Amino acid sequence: MSAKPLIIAIDGPAGAGKSTTARRVAEVLGYIYIDTGAMYRAVSLSALRSSCALTNEALGLLAEASDIRLEPSDGAQKVLLNGEDVSLAIRQADVTAIVSQVSAFSSVRKALVKRQRQIGEGGGVVMDGRDIGSVVFPHAEVKVFLVADTDERVRRRLLEAQTRGEQITEDDVRQQIISRDEYDSNRAESPLIKASGAVEIDTTTCTIDEQVQTILDLVRSYQTTHSIVSAHLGF
Ligand code: DC
């Protein structure tokens, strides 16, 4: 009998290693990977392009009307906004500068959380973000909270930006990360918190392989425990 497809929630601050780890875990398990930060970034890009007022009502309508799709592509994830590939555009500094503000609006969260639940409700999904284990799927079978030292997170984000060819200094990256963490953690709507039942993993000195293995061990342990319980109950 094949194991029940699970919901795996991975939350944490910027640069903690969520996306790479979540994508690899999904690959190993044959699950769908959903980067919910990319969805908030896509709405932010759409707002910039349409000069949308940064108000709850206007952004909510924009989020509802935006067709955002996440597709696997060459070991990465392609982000389509109304059919256009915006994978690179959503990582640029102008989007990063407003995404925390845009994602703090309740109307935007309502529209995107609804879609995230539709995608993940059947299980077989690894979803990363800030509120997956606390709000989107509080009943997720496996919940992980990834953290890392600020210096290490800055180093990773700087490397990513340089790989994309961006001209950005280490100080700028540090400033962005610190202010985004503060904003994301202190907003009224679904702030970044370690969800109840989440296992915290400090990735400061871990390799990606080690992070992936730790999460796969949590998955196996969940599956083993629950198959034993099911067998006892005669399911
Ligand atoms: O993971 P990221 O850095 O691409 O996320 C961009 C922003 O989106 C982040 O600063 C906060 C917001 N976000 C959120 O509020 N809730 C999520 N589930 C995912 C991201």
Side-chain angles (χ1 to χ4, degrees):
M1 195 182 70
S2 64
K4 170 184 169 237
L6 308 180
I7 298 175
I8 303 174
I10 302 186
D11 291 302
K18 298 186 298 294
S19 321
T20 315
T21 310
R23 192 171 55 239
R24 298 248 187 114
V25 169
E27 267 166 28
V28 175
L29 296 174
Y31 282 12
I32 305 170
Y33 162 57
I34 299 293
D35 171 1
T36 61
M39 299 172 80
Y40 289 97
R41 285 174 179 273
V43 173
S44 304
L45 177 68
S46 195
L48 280 175
R49 286 180 170 178
S50 60
S51 304
C52 178
L54 299 189
T55 64
N56 199 43
E57 194 184 353
L59 286 170
L61 290 172
L62 187 71
E64 290 278 356
S66 303
D67 177 18
I68 303 166
R69 287 170 201 268
L70 305 175
E71 293 181 354
S73 140
D74 284 339
Q77 183 155 73
K78 196 195 272 185
V79 183
L80 300 173
L81 172 63
N82 302 323
E84 177 192 344
D85 184 352
V86 294
S87 315
L88 276 181
I90 61 164
R91 305 282 162 202
Q92 301 302 313
D94 52 349
V95 171
T96 302
I98 65 159
V99 66
S100 279
Q101 200 186 342
V102 169
S103 62
F105 285 102
S106 59
S107 60
V108 174
R109 304 205 70 80
K110 194 169 160 217
L112 296 189
V113 167
K114 186 170 150 208
R115 284 191 216 162
Q116 291 155 12
R117 287 184 176 147
Q118 283 165 350
I119 298 168
E121 65 193 356
V125 69
V126 183
M127 202 171 272
D128 85 44
R130 303 294 189 286
D131 62 339
I132 310 305
S134 57
V135 173
V136 183
F137 289 117
H139 62 286
E141 287 87 357
V142 176
K143 296 188 198 179
V144 174
F145 193 69
L146 289 187
V147 295
D149 282 356
T150 305
D151 283 350
E152 176 59 16
R153 295 190 293 122
V154 170
R155 194 189 66 76
R156 292 175 190 168
R157 279 288 148 109
L158 184 64
L159 196 68
E160 279 171 21
Q162 286 168 342
T163 309
R164 286 193 299 269
E166 276 173 50
Q167 305 290 323
I168 188 162
T169 66
E170 184 175 333
D171 276 353
D172 287 344
V173 173
R174 182 177 303 275
Q175 205 39 57
Q176 271 178 9
I177 283 193
I178 291 172
S179 61
R180 219 142 57 84
D181 283 353
E182 204 169 286
Y183 206 103
D184 296 344
S185 306
N186 293 304
R187 67 186 179 209
E189 290 284 332
S190 314
L192 165 67
I193 47 159
K194 179 177 161 189
S196 133
V199 175
E200 183 166 316
I201 305 173
D202 187 334
T203 71
T204 308
T205 57
C206 286
T207 63
I208 299 287
D209 283 350
E210 287 168 339
Q211 288 158 217
V212 170
Q213 194 52 53
T214 306
I215 297 175
L216 291 175
D217 290 345
L218 291 172
V219 171
R220 301 284 176 240
S221 147
Y222 176 91
Q223 286 170 331
T224 308
T225 316
H226 285 77
S227 66
I228 291 168
V229 172
S230 304
H232 269 298
L233 296 174
F235 293 156

